[in-house]
Amino acid sequence: MQGTERYRSTGSQYDVHAGMYLLTNAFWDGEVTIDSATDVQGLCLDISPAILAEVMATHMQPAAPFPQHDYYNFLTSASFFEHCYTARHNATGHWLQQTAQRVTANDFTDPLFAANYFYELAAIVLADQQQIYGHLQTLNSVKESTRKDLLRRLL
């Protein structure tokens, strides 16, 4: 939302500035450092794996190009592609920017954090991440970490 948050995890560092977001899952083991002379504001949301599974079940497509079970495992395991995205480049980022604007404006008259909020966010994240999953599957590499590094360079 404003300022810079620095996230570190095993061998990776992400500087998250205003207009960016870091997407990880429960398997990401990291820490955040805020070292700034000015105020830093950020937003952290956690979508439970149960909500992801429920939303995914409502969107399952038998003719989908990638097996849905493998995709769910990708989302909820250590295989997930953690990455720092520019918010304006995808639907998840747009949704998060709208959320940040509501939080900044103290607009709590809208049922912002009602249960359906996280279901809608999960659907958007699933759609965005399905593209990422597809890109990862097309990269030829023996090691998963190499595929992730290659994709980070391409994004």
Side-chain angles (χ1 to χ4, degrees):
M1 292 174 32
Q2 90 178 24
T4 300
E5 298 173 336
R6 177 168 288 150
Y7 292 83
R8 288 189 188 94
S9 182
T10 322
S12 299
Q13 177 175 303
Y14 302 96
D15 289 337
V16 182
H17 308 284
M20 300 175 79
Y21 69 97
L22 176 64
L23 188 62
T24 67
N25 70 5
F27 284 85
W28 189 78
D29 185 26
E31 63 182 31
V32 63
T33 303
I34 300 172
D35 184 18
S36 176
T38 60
D39 288 342
V40 174
Q41 294 178 352
L43 181 65
C44 182
L45 300 171
D46 182 15
I47 304 171
S48 76
I51 289 177
L52 281 175
E54 193 173 336
V55 171
M56 189 163 201
T58 64
H59 291 90
M60 288 189 89
Q61 302 169 355
F66 304 108
Q68 298 293 313
H69 182 71
D70 290 346
Y71 178 49
Y72 178 74
N73 287 339
F74 161 75
L75 291 169
T76 59
S77 72
S79 295
F80 184 74
F81 180 70
E82 68 281 340
H83 187 64
C84 190
Y85 297 91
T86 301
R88 69 177 183 269
H89 290 166
N90 58 43
T92 302
H94 288 288
W95 184 264
L96 293 173
Q97 284 182 318
Q98 290 174 350
T99 298
Q101 289 170 354
R102 290 178 182 164
V103 169
T104 301
N106 289 321
D107 179 13
F108 296 107
T109 57
D110 190 11
L112 176 63
F113 294 109
N116 67 336
Y117 172 85
F118 288 98
Y119 284 96
E120 291 174 20
L121 178 58
I124 293 168
V125 168
L126 287 170
D128 281 348
Q129 288 303 299
Q130 190 152 22
Q131 293 175 0
I132 297 297
Y133 177 71
H135 292 312
L136 274 172
Q137 299 309 306
T138 62
L139 294 173
N140 291 324
S141 173
V142 174
K143 292 174 61 178
E144 181 180 277
S145 61
T146 303
R147 279 198 313 268
K148 288 180 177 182
D149 288 341
L150 286 170
L151 186 55
R152 277 190 194 90
R153 294 171 196 258
L154 293 172
L155 294 176

